[in-house]
Amino acid sequence: MKHVKCYQKGYPRPQFVRTDWESLNGVWKFGFGESVKEAQALGGELPLTINVPFSYETQLSGIGDRSQHSTVWYARTIEYKTEKRAILHIEGADYLTRVYVNGILAGSHRGAYSRISLDITEFLKKGENTLTVRCDDENSPAQVRGKQRWEKESFGCWYVQTTGIWKSVWLEYVEDICLTALKITPDLTDYSVRFDFSVSKPCEEVEVRFDISCNGKKLQTVSAVAADCENSISANLSSGKLTYQVELWVPESPTLYDLEVSVFYKGKKTDSVGSYFALREYKTHGNKILLNSRPFYARLLLDQGYWKESGLTPPDEEALIADIEIAKQMGFNGVRKHQKVEDERFFYYADIMGFTVWCELPSNHWQSDETAMQITEEWLRIVKQNYNHPSLVTWVIFNESWGVRNIVSSKVQSNLATGLYYLTKSIDTMRPVISNDGWEHGMSDILTLHDYEQDGAKLHARYETLQKITEGSSENEQPLPYASGYAYGGQPIMISEFGGMAYVCDENRGWGYGHGVGGDEEFLSRFASLVKAIDDLNISGFCYTQLTDVEHEVNGLLYEDRTPKVSIEEIAKRNKR
């Protein structure tokens, strides 16, 4: 596996890398809110210990309590030994997070799936400091929660809740004048790349330099004066004076360009950030999905990103690599990360391994003006946070009308879906956006449909004509493809959920879609039948449900511990057009 130049094992933010940082993962003091007084928690006196970043519900946390607690406290000491500014990052904490330093509130954050970043310098003293984190998480279906249950027990396709910190916690140290934002946008019309950037204290005496290299060879340097809060500069990688061949990112050969960004103040370097990018264009054109102007057939797996011992948190970095490797071995070229925003290191490995990823907003399940504001705020943070990854090819806002249950007839709800579509486009013009995956679309760049019919012949018959696909048919009991006031406009079509067959499904094993299969041959035969039914349609691809079992849901190609149910090679043989 070939890493980019700036790669550091365990670094939580792989496209904005500094060398002066420390992980705060590991053993913290911990307590449940009902048994801890605030003064006690702020002083770092908590009765339990927990292994961060694993939530208390999981085995790897060291606690393994699956019952619901609305408030949790964390505390540990940190050493402050530098003159630099200290930035605290929590990659993910669910849901309302408050951070205290030496008993003083340093900042707060609402949401579960976007990064928390706080400058805590003014609250620190030299030497030992007490860092305390409080997380409040209600069992409300109005919250953005994805597949987390809101009842006391898991049910249907909803699983144990995730409370509090569930992604990495870390500190980095920066000078007063430093890079604060970097947005990288490739353009294949002239093989150029644009860097939009911000610095902490812009002025005429601050210069930002971008050094581009590939395979160890320095290619170009461009620089700009950071006189405004937001600045932009472009580098053309196809100049006639250059002595190298421009290479594009494709799954078969995922070429990445290394980038080093340096910030200078009055000629003195004050910051250095490592990053990378790719020349890659993923778009829709008529009824085709194009990768670098060539038709791309998506063979995706639904991936909910759960592990038996650690819930939504990957047990380690190697687990992320293993999931991509086995998916590729089975003949898939990407995943739809379902109802979860994955650890950013997953996107990194997808970048370097040539694997496409759909990024999806975890759903709320109850619509109101307040929830509309909450999901808008969190979604836009998610889009900005993951924008630079070349493997990320599609944004998915809603799923199966969850959170917008009356979207067909409610203008409020259809306007919300379409409004979020355009807000996403206001940040990202280079990726397709799906407003409501599965059915009842508003504005959407791809028409996506879900169908768990278990008979391949019947599945093919339901979608054998364009009219049946785009208008629905009497053979299909699923909701209509479009919400009221919207209709098919010639865009690409995908069956973005299908399959989902349970392997030996009975009352003791859990459930899957349709009747279960009782052995390898029946499993492989039905899998082949369903995949062929989709491949024989004139559409742009599919997403098969799913990579692994999750709790009581047993419709994965792999068991929850990633053991294959049937031969990987036999799956791959049947997963071909």
Side-chain angles (χ1 to χ4, degrees):
M1 185 181 303
K2 183 181 178 182
H3 289 288
V4 296
K5 183 180 178 181
C6 65
Y7 169 76
Q8 295 182 43
K9 184 174 175 59
Y11 195 88
R13 190 187 56 196
Q15 274 198 314
F16 201 99
V17 179
R18 292 188 173 101
T19 57
D20 197 356
W21 71 285
E22 65 175 304
S23 172
L24 298 183
N25 290 344
V27 178
W28 289 52
K29 294 180 180 179
F30 182 79
F32 296 112
E34 62 266 29
S35 59
V36 173
K37 294 182 179 179
E38 183 174 290
Q40 175 187 359
L42 295 180
E45 299 176 13
L46 297 173
L48 305 172
T49 60
I50 190 169
N51 185 20
V52 168
F54 304 105
S55 73
Y56 75 79
E57 293 92 346
T58 68
Q59 298 171 22
L60 288 187
S61 72
I63 296 176
D65 177 358
R66 291 167 64 93
S67 61
Q68 296 170 342
H69 298 271
S70 60
T71 299
V72 291
W73 289 93
Y74 302 80
R76 62 162 290 164
T77 58
I78 56 175
E79 290 284 326
Y80 184 53
K81 304 176 182 178
T82 180
E83 299 298 325
K84 293 184 177 181
R85 304 200 69 79
I87 313 298
L88 175 70
H89 302 284
I90 304 175
E91 293 295 300
D94 197 348
Y95 175 73
L96 175 61
T97 302
R98 298 179 179 90
V99 175
Y100 302 83
V101 180
N102 297 322
I104 301 172
L105 181 64
S108 62
H109 179 275
R110 182 179 65 178
Y113 298 95
S114 56
R115 179 183 297 119
I116 306 166
S117 296
L118 296 172
D119 186 337
I120 61 172
T121 313
E122 65 181 280
F123 304 99
L124 294 170
K125 60 185 179 182
K126 287 294 181 182
E128 189 174 279
N129 296 264
T130 299
L131 175 63
T132 306
V133 178
R134 170 179 173 163
C135 294
D136 296 285
D137 189 14
E138 299 297 330
N139 302 318
S140 169
Q143 285 182 191
V144 172
R145 61 188 311 110
K147 286 300 195 78
Q148 299 179 59
R149 69 191 183 195
W150 55 90
E151 298 180 1
K152 288 186 178 181
E153 300 296 334
S154 299
F155 65 98
C157 59
W158 285 274
Y159 324 119
V160 67
Q161 73 284 344
T162 298
T163 307
I165 295 170
W166 66 282
K167 287 186 178 179
S168 291
V169 184
W170 55 295
L171 277 169
E172 69 173 342
Y173 302 97
V174 298
E175 301 287 356
D176 284 345
I177 297 177
C178 62
L179 190 71
T180 56
L182 176 63
K183 183 179 183 182
I184 306 174
T185 306
D187 186 347
L188 264 60
T189 58
D190 59 357
Y191 298 110
S192 66
V193 57
R194 188 180 76 244
F195 306 114
D196 296 290
F197 63 95
S198 299
V199 295
S200 53
K201 295 182 180 181
C203 71
E204 295 288 346
E205 296 177 297
V206 174
E207 180 188 7
V208 182
R209 189 176 72 196
F210 301 84
D211 291 300
I212 302 169
S213 60
C214 187
N215 296 321
K217 180 181 180 180
K218 187 173 180 179
L219 303 182
Q220 273 199 65
T221 296
V222 294
S223 60
V225 174
D228 300 311
C229 292
E230 295 185 0
N231 296 269
S232 179
I233 189 169
S234 294
N236 190 305
L237 297 176
S238 62
S239 168
K241 298 179 181 179
L242 302 179
T243 59
Y244 58 87
Q245 181 176 349
V246 172
E247 296 187 46
L248 305 183
W249 186 97
V250 292
E252 300 77 20
S253 179
T255 299
L256 297 173
Y257 291 80
D258 292 303
L259 177 67
E260 183 176 345
V261 187
S262 304
V263 180
F264 298 87
Y265 176 61
K266 295 183 177 180
K268 179 183 177 182
K269 184 184 286 190
T270 60
D271 196 14
S272 180
V273 172
S275 189
Y276 63 89
F277 64 90
L279 292 177
R280 191 274 290 140
E281 181 182 66
Y282 190 83
K283 67 180 182 179
T284 62
H285 181 74
N287 66 350
K288 301 293 183 184
I289 294 173
L290 303 181
L291 175 60
N292 303 334
S293 299
R294 297 188 177 188
F296 180 80
Y297 190 83
R299 306 187 77 82
L300 307 182
L301 263 176
L302 194 76
D303 179 6
Q304 303 196 66
Y306 276 83
W307 285 265
K308 185 175 183 178
E309 69 274 32
S310 57
L312 284 173
T313 309
D316 50 40
E317 200 165 305
E318 287 67 32
L320 299 171
I321 301 169
D323 277 4
I324 296 174
E325 286 179 336
I326 200 166
K328 293 184 72 171
Q329 289 167 10
M330 291 188 289
F332 297 96
N333 57 24
V335 290
R336 174 182 163 210
K337 274 289 177 178
H338 185 45
Q339 294 296 292
K340 177 191 183 185
V341 180
E342 189 56 89
D343 187 305
E344 197 173 336
R345 292 172 295 177
F346 181 87
F347 291 101
Y348 167 73
Y349 282 108
D351 292 341
I352 67 173
M353 295 170 70
F355 196 62
T356 63
V357 184
W358 287 22
C359 184
E360 179 175 330
L361 173 67
S363 294
N364 63 305
H365 299 277
W366 180 20
Q367 198 275 331
S368 69
D369 289 349
E370 179 62 22
T371 60
M373 293 172 64
Q374 290 178 18
I375 63 177
T376 299
E377 179 184 24
E378 184 154 17
W379 177 237
L380 295 184
R381 288 198 302 259
I382 290 167
V383 171
K384 291 181 69 175
Q385 179 176 318
N386 296 290
Y387 175 92
N388 290 339
H389 287 285
S391 61
L392 199 163
V393 297
T394 307
W395 301 110
V396 179
I397 299 168
F398 289 109
N399 173 73
E400 294 184 350
S401 304
W402 295 352
V404 283
R405 299 284 182 180
N406 298 317
I407 190 172
V408 166
S409 57
S410 169
K411 272 295 182 184
V412 168
Q413 294 184 12
S414 63
N415 286 345
L416 175 61
T418 295
L420 285 170
Y421 167 90
Y422 281 115
L423 278 174
T424 307
K425 289 287 192 181
S426 74
I427 295 174
D428 188 350
T429 60
M430 66 177 182
R431 290 182 174 94
V433 178
I434 298 166
S435 62
N436 185 25
D437 195 82
W439 47 66
E440 298 174 343
H441 288 269
M443 289 297 298
S444 194
D445 294 325
I446 304 173
L447 171 58
T448 57
L449 301 172
H450 297 177
D451 195 321
Y452 285 104
E453 170 60 53
Q454 298 293 294
D455 184 296
K458 290 180 179 179
L459 183 65
H460 184 272
R462 286 181 184 174
Y463 302 101
E464 62 186 347
T465 68
L466 184 63
Q467 183 177 7
K468 285 183 177 182
I469 294 174
T470 60
E471 298 178 11
S473 71
S474 57
E475 302 163 14
N476 189 355
E477 297 178 357
Q478 304 286 46
L480 293 172
Y482 284 94
S484 179
Y486 296 89
Y488 181 63
Q491 57 266 70
I493 298 165
M494 286 183 59
I495 307 298
S496 58
E497 283 189 34
F498 80 110
M501 54 183 163
Y503 191 81
V504 193
C505 183
D506 57 38
E507 291 181 359
N508 299 318
R509 289 291 315 280
W511 68 275
Y513 296 95
H515 59 281
V517 295
D520 289 9
E521 288 306 315
E522 186 180 357
F523 187 97
L524 290 168
S525 176
R526 193 188 301 179
F527 175 83
S529 170
L530 294 172
V531 169
K532 186 177 187 303
I534 304 299
D535 282 342
D536 287 347
L537 298 171
N538 184 28
I539 61 175
S540 295
F542 63 74
C543 179
Y544 180 86
T545 303
Q546 63 181 321
L547 177 62
T548 73
D549 290 351
V550 182
E551 290 193 16
H552 55 278
E553 187 175 348
V554 295
N555 50 21
L557 294 175
L558 313 176
Y559 291 109
E560 203 168 10
D561 64 0
R562 273 54 180 175
T563 302
K565 294 181 177 179
V566 296
S567 165
I568 295 301
E569 292 76 14
E570 293 301 320
I571 288 287
K573 286 179 184 177
R574 292 158 177 80
N575 191 18
K576 294 180 179 179
R577 296 187 79 178

